[in-house]
Amino acid sequence: MKCNRIAVLGANGQVGRALVDVLGNRATALTRAQADLSQPATLTAVLDEIAPDAVINAAAYTAVDKAEVEDEAAHTVNAEAPAILAQWCKQHDVPFIHYSTDYVFDGSGNTPWQESDAVAPCNIYGKTKLAGEQAIASSGGKFFIFRTSWVYDAQGANFLNTMLRLGAEREALNIVSDQIGAPSYAPHLAEYTVKVLDAATQMQKFPSGIYHMVNQGEVSWHGFANAIFEAARSHGETLIIKTVEPIPSSAYPTPAQRPLNSRLSCQALQHVFGITMPSWQEGLTQAMEQKYHASNHMPA
Ligand code: NDP
């Protein structure tokens, strides 16, 4: 039996919006105003009221640099609130779906991380996300934790839109080239989340666990920036950017350290569900179509 009354928390975020789109009338969209994860004790009553048959948490404290100084706030939203949600789901025997991050790993090496590899977050955000994972996994209920990376869509405050803005303002940019990962297109994450959930509810035993879910392939931020500029130009965008200089992370210090190796292996998703995510290039193509198609149809 498919779940048809799915509570989506964080419904205004990149992944949350996409989930609500994909699920249509199967979703009950909950924004911060309706379900505030900074007040974990209030969440049980919210779920009691809706009585969902699945809960997807796309809300998170995602301000990675700010988390270095707001560690308590990040911990409440990323660890304490998901623990409460997972407990509610366990008590009501409904699946709980949650997202985590490549930042649970230390970024060493140059091969893709497997789900079973040792975790060692190098920043506060990663530590709070890991604490959330551990609380959910120990809830004893049905759950999926999808670890993803470098999430973007056509409209969010993300790398894609920052590059498009800077590419229109500047002739030269320095972009980090030693962090390698997979830009993940939020609508793809939403689509495959729903595919996996629907497949799981048909299985005899719900295959709870942590799964990596990223668009296929790998690229540096520098390579991604170049691909964005190329795609924008092919849509007729006027950019003045001429030079995109590759730089090491050490030349671009940020309050929170970032892992160099963010590659995530999606073999478990393939093995258990027969699912292969689209490539990151396909994600970018779709994001740009969404962006330029939408603006082409703006009323005059
Ligand atoms: P966004 O930052 O786009 O959205 C996060 C959402 O969480 C926002 O809508 C925000 O609400 C909401 N939120 C924040 N605090 C609260 C709160 N106290 N109560 C309720 N809602 C709150 O994130 P993404 O969609 O990109 O991320 C989805 C998931 O993927 C998260 O679990 C994130 O940790 C994970 N992830 C994201 C990555 C990325 O690059 N973005 C990389 C790896 C993993 P509001 O709109 O009101 O601010």
Side-chain angles (χ1 to χ4, degrees), residues 10 12-15 32 35-38 58-60 62 77 99-102 125 129 148-151:
N12 276 343
Q14 301 182 100
V15 174
R32 188 192 291 257
D36 184 353
L37 276 73
S38 70
T62 53
V77 173
Y99 298 91
S100 189
T101 169
D102 53 306
Y125 166 77
K129 293 295 289 183
T148 188
S149 67
W150 300 15
V151 178

Side-chain angles (χ1 to χ4, degrees), residues 52-209:
D53 56 11
V55 175
I56 308 183
N57 177 34
Y61 185 110
T62 53
V64 175
D65 287 318
K66 220 162 120 191
E68 293 295 307
V69 288
E70 290 193 350
D71 52 336
E72 275 184 30
H75 189 267
T76 303
V77 173
N78 290 347
E80 288 173 32
I84 301 268
L85 296 171
Q87 279 159 19
W88 188 96
C89 290
K90 155 78 177 155
Q91 278 161 13
H92 294 80
D93 193 30
V94 306
F96 180 55
I97 291 127
H98 179 83
Y99 298 91
S100 189
T101 169
D102 53 306
Y103 287 11
V104 298
F105 294 115
D106 66 8
S108 60
N110 53 17
T111 53
W113 296 102
Q114 309 287 331
E115 286 81 354
S116 54
D117 283 337
V119 286
C122 63
N123 58 42
I124 300 281
Y125 166 77
K127 285 182 184 152
T128 63
K129 293 295 289 183
L130 176 59
E133 285 189 1
Q134 290 166 340
I136 294 162
S138 63
S139 69
K142 296 173 182 162
F143 75 92
F144 288 133
I145 294 168
F146 296 128
R147 285 191 191 134
T148 188
S149 67
W150 300 15
V151 178
Y152 71 101
D153 66 4
Q155 61 182 110
N158 53 38
F159 186 80
L160 172 90
N161 284 316
T162 303
M163 285 305 113
L164 291 176
R165 177 172 53 77
L166 293 176
E169 289 170 3
R170 299 199 201 162
E171 291 193 353
L173 282 172
N174 294 334
I175 306 289
V176 168
S177 61
D178 58 357
Q179 293 171 27
I180 311 292
S184 294
Y185 182 47
H188 282 161
L189 295 175
E191 181 186 338
Y192 283 82
T193 294
V194 175
K195 276 191 180 149
V196 171
L197 174 62
D198 287 347
T201 51
Q202 306 297 322
M203 292 179 173
Q204 258 184 355
K205 186 175 183 304
F206 194 91
S208 292

